[in-house]
Amino acid sequence: TSSDEALAGVWRTNMSENTKIDQYVENLANTHQMCATLLKTPHYAKMGMEGVFTIIQTAKSLGIDPMIALAGGLYYFHGKVEMSARQMNAIIRSRGHSITVDNKSDDKICIVHGKRKDTGDTCACKFTIEEARRIGLTKNPTWLNYPEDMLFARAISRLGRRLFPDLIGNCYVEGEIDDDKLK
């Protein structure tokens, strides 16, 4: 009868939801066990359970291998996740999208152009040494020693937020959270 078929449909839906919940709980337990194992090493012990767990879960949600994330792709800082510019670049390109550094880029300005493979949408973003100076970033020795790399990191972060937010999530680029203390 149709009522039996309807009940069977509800039962299958509930079983499917219960299976998803069970898989989620098992995934969390596995992640917790991985964290406990990693925390036995001095490097990960410095990050603490919260940092290691957050990086692993963020990596999984973004489709990044957790060990790559823990090896410098993602950072945990003041309760937030930062992503290295290398990781942003890699994740965007690995999904078939393109990023081009404008040939006008130098140690004073970085301009990056992005194009989405799926929609064809494009965007260009820049970050200048003047912006960095104005907000106090150039007080950091890394900015003085590697201005082109630092400008690229900020430009790609801006591009990622505007054109590829589905790929980088709500991650900040490496150094952005710490740089807030300079302001």
Side-chain angles (χ1 to χ4, degrees), residues 37-87:
T37 301
L38 290 170
L39 287 170
K40 293 176 184 174
T41 67
H43 173 72
Y44 296 112
K46 289 179 194 172
M47 291 179 167
M49 176 62 97
E50 182 182 5
V52 173
F53 183 83
T54 302
I55 287 173
I56 291 171
Q57 288 301 105
T58 300
K60 287 179 180 182
S61 74
L62 296 173
I64 301 169
D65 180 287
M67 292 312 296
I68 290 173
L70 286 165
L74 299 178
Y75 300 92
Y76 182 74
F77 200 74
H78 293 305
K80 297 178 180 164
V81 177
E82 292 183 325
M83 182 182 291
S84 73
R86 292 177 313 280
Q87 184 65 63

Side-chain angles (χ1 to χ4, degrees), residues 7-26:
L7 284 174
V10 168
W11 182 81
R12 278 191 298 276
T13 300
N14 286 340
M15 288 303 293
S16 176
E17 289 301 315
N18 287 340
T19 301
K20 287 178 187 174
I21 291 169
D22 290 345
Q23 288 171 345
Y24 183 75
V25 169
E26 183 178 344

